[in-house]
Each structure stands twice: as structure tokens, then as C-alpha cells.
Amino acid sequence: MQVDLGDLNAFVAVAQAKGFREGARLMGASASGLSEAVRRLETQLGVRLLNRTTRSVSPTEAGQRLLTRLRPALSEVEAALDVVNNFRERPAGTLKLNVPMSAARLVLPAIIPGFLEAYPEIRLEVVAEESFVDILAAGCDAGIRYDERLEQDMIAVPIGPRTQRFATAAAPGYLDRRGRPTHPRDLLDHACMRGRFASGAMPPWEFERDGEVVNVDPSGPLLVRIGGATDLVVDAAVAGVGVVHLYEDWLRPHLASGALEPVLEDWWRPFPGPYLYYPGRRLVPAPLRAFIDFIKAGSDKDAI
């Protein structure tokens, strides 16, 4: 049985996106075109692959089994076709990255302009979200995460600053009213603005000085989803609402301007920087290989 590869890709896109419209957006195609491709595939196979309602699309049992087998197979086909890229003068194609908001804000801006200038035939797509995802299932080539959130079977390449710190700060006016903490536990008596992951986890604030590690779980008037709403916490801190605990690089402009004042600076705890990670398969797509080589070259320059 000969099945059109484009129809298979259309089915995978719709099934993963859970909708024809979103699948069309991700593929750069039309929803009606994807609908026709899936209908043609179902007719050829003689089995329904997707359950369709006015509100949602989900795989049938047969569709789910086909999807499970197709994902790795189509990834291998894509990688095999990408070998042709090695014969081009310059790599071309799409590179899709899944990154946390902090990387999109603090790491990629120093890398992306130079990379796109060096490889004008590569199109970069960045998806920013905090939850740890299966990058292959999400249709991404690679991701950026911190060491504690990497899967063991992934290849990891350092990217961005190799050491970072979480900084604690508040507006000078707030500290004048409420006092300046001298120990992390003093924060329990302050208005502290917190962040929570999509999973529901709310990480404690970690501090360290002279070998002493202190974790505190303060409360306050504002709680946001970590990621897109993080700037709201920063703006609230600048407005004098309370204390913020965030990446030092994120807060640096406000610290430099005096809008925020460092709190417990000698307790700020350093931690290793992020990694670019990707599946340890034999064939690495040419756009990803170019990106890996670019960040490695940048790291080598920084080390000189």
C-alpha cells in the first residue's frame, strides 16, 4: 500500500495539535487542506483515525497506535532527507526550539541576531513555555532547560552564562516602610511576590552564605504563573508592592537605575547556567548542527 507522506504528516500535525486550525498554523497550511488530507488517508486505510467534534479533535484507538509508530519514523525520514543539506554551501531549513521564558529573555537575545546573520537560509521558530515537554512529540528539534530538568538520554550543550544567580530586591520606598531584612528568615514577615509553575509546584526561595543554605517559603499579595506573567511581578516590585526573587540578569536594569534595591545580596545563591538539549540520535538536522556549532564557537571565544 502506497500512502502519501504529506497525508501522514497532516495526520500527525492535527493529532498533536488537537485541532485542524492549530495544526494548519503549525504547518503553514490551510485547515481545509489538512482536513482533506486526513480524510484521504482514512479512506485509503479504511479506518477512522480521528474523532471530530465541534470543539475538539482526538485520535481514535487506531489513530493513537498509528501516531505512536509514526512519530519516530517521520523523524528519521526528516533526518535522512536533511543529509542533503550537508551538500549545500550553507545549511537551510527550519530550526524549532522549545525554551523557558527566562532563556527567551536572558539567553537567546545575545545569540540569535548573530546566528541568523551567519545562516540567512535558516528559519528559527522559538516556543517559550515553562513546562518540560517531549521535544520530539512537540515537533521541536531541541530545547533549553537547566540541568535538574534534563532527561538522561539527551545530549546537552552549555548555552549562555555558565553561572547565574537569583536576586532578591524591593523598591527603596517599600524597604523604608517595612525595614530591610538581614537574614532570609526575615522575609517571612514581608510581602513577597511568588511564582508557580503550570504543574502547581511553587519553588521555595533558596539562599546560601558561608556554607549555610536556607530555604524559605514566604507569602504575599501576588502570585503569578511562572513565565509570561513574570514581568508583572517585577513591575509590582518597582511600584513598591513587595519583595521579588528572580534571575539577577532580569532585575539588573532596575537595580542599576535604583528603582529596585538589592536585598540580602550576600546570600544570593549561584547556580549553573542552562543547556541546549536534543535527542541523542545519529543524524542531527543541519539547522540544529549549525546552531550547536555556533554556540560552541561563541563559548570558545568567551573562554579566551
Side-chain angles (χ1 to χ4, degrees), residues 277-291:
Y277 72 97
Y278 58 96
R281 63 189 184 191
R282 183 171 56 88
L283 295 174
V284 176
L288 176 57
R289 172 51 59 194
F291 189 68

Side-chain angles (χ1 to χ4, degrees), residues 147-220:
D147 186 51
E148 71 273 9
R149 303 187 72 192
L150 291 178
E151 295 181 9
Q152 296 301 313
D153 59 347
M154 293 288 173
I155 295 177
V157 179
I159 185 171
R162 297 323 310 139
T163 302
Q164 295 180 293
R165 292 194 302 178
F166 268 100
T168 311
Y174 169 86
L175 295 172
D176 289 342
R177 296 193 310 271
R178 299 289 298 271
R180 288 165 172 77
T182 60
H183 190 278
R185 294 190 185 91
D186 294 342
L187 293 171
L188 297 176
D189 296 323
H190 280 263
C192 296
M193 295 173 290
R194 305 291 301 275
R196 177 157 43 202
F197 287 109
S199 65
M202 190 161 62
W205 290 6
E206 299 180 349
F207 298 89
E208 182 178 8
R209 187 179 68 177
D210 299 330
E212 180 186 1
V213 177
V214 178
N215 293 338
V216 295
D217 193 21
S219 61

Side-chain angles (χ1 to χ4, degrees), residues 26-300:
L26 294 174
M27 288 192 70
S30 68
S32 61
L34 290 191
S35 179
E36 178 58 32
V38 173
R39 188 178 298 111
R40 186 167 52 241
L41 180 61
E42 289 177 326
T43 300
Q44 189 169 3
L45 296 178
V47 64
R48 178 177 287 275
L49 300 174
L50 296 173
N51 290 316
R52 305 162 175 83
T53 70
T54 56
R55 294 188 176 182
S56 66
V57 174
S58 61
T60 63
E61 182 179 356
Q64 185 59 53
R65 291 192 181 187
L66 178 61
L67 183 64
T68 301
R69 298 294 294 272
L70 275 180
R71 280 170 175 163
L74 289 177
S75 294
E76 285 303 314
V77 169
E78 183 180 349
L81 291 174
D82 192 70
V83 170
V84 177
N85 244 333
N86 295 325
F87 292 91
R88 297 173 58 92
E89 183 178 350
R90 290 184 297 188
T94 299
L95 171 61
K96 187 173 182 180
L97 302 178
N98 185 286
V99 308
M101 188 66 68
S102 58
R105 177 75 177 265
L106 306 177
V107 176
L108 291 182
I111 298 173
I112 296 309
F115 173 71
L116 293 179
E117 182 179 3
Y119 298 97
E121 297 181 42
I122 292 179
R123 176 178 178 268
L124 180 63
E125 182 177 349
V126 177
V127 178
E129 58 184 343
E130 297 303 315
S131 57
F132 189 81
V133 301
D134 181 335
I135 56 174
L136 288 181
C140 297
D141 299 292
I144 296 177
R145 289 296 186 274
Y146 287 85
D147 186 51
E148 71 273 9
R149 303 187 72 192
L150 291 178
E151 295 181 9
Q152 296 301 313
D153 59 347
M154 293 288 173
I155 295 177
V157 179
I159 185 171
R162 297 323 310 139
T163 302
Q164 295 180 293
R165 292 194 302 178
F166 268 100
T168 311
Y174 169 86
L175 295 172
D176 289 342
R177 296 193 310 271
R178 299 289 298 271
R180 288 165 172 77
T182 60
H183 190 278
R185 294 190 185 91
D186 294 342
L187 293 171
L188 297 176
D189 296 323
H190 280 263
C192 296
M193 295 173 290
R194 305 291 301 275
R196 177 157 43 202
F197 287 109
S199 65
M202 190 161 62
W205 290 6
E206 299 180 349
F207 298 89
E208 182 178 8
R209 187 179 68 177
D210 299 330
E212 180 186 1
V213 177
V214 178
N215 293 338
V216 295
D217 193 21
S219 61
L222 181 60
L223 176 65
V224 303
R225 173 76 62 84
I226 292 176
T230 302
D231 276 328
L232 176 60
V233 169
V234 178
D235 292 342
V238 171
V241 174
V243 183
V244 62
H245 184 73
L246 192 61
Y247 293 93
E248 181 181 3
D249 290 341
W250 203 314
L251 297 181
R252 182 171 289 122
H254 303 289
L255 294 169
S257 70
L260 291 178
E261 178 182 322
V263 172
L264 300 169
E265 187 170 4
D266 55 343
W267 284 89
W268 292 358
R269 189 178 192 182
F271 58 93
Y275 292 85
L276 177 79
Y277 72 97
Y278 58 96
R281 63 189 184 191
R282 183 171 56 88
L283 295 174
V284 176
L288 176 57
R289 172 51 59 194
F291 189 68
I292 293 169
D293 292 341
F294 186 83
I295 62 174
K296 284 184 174 180
S299 298
D300 292 342

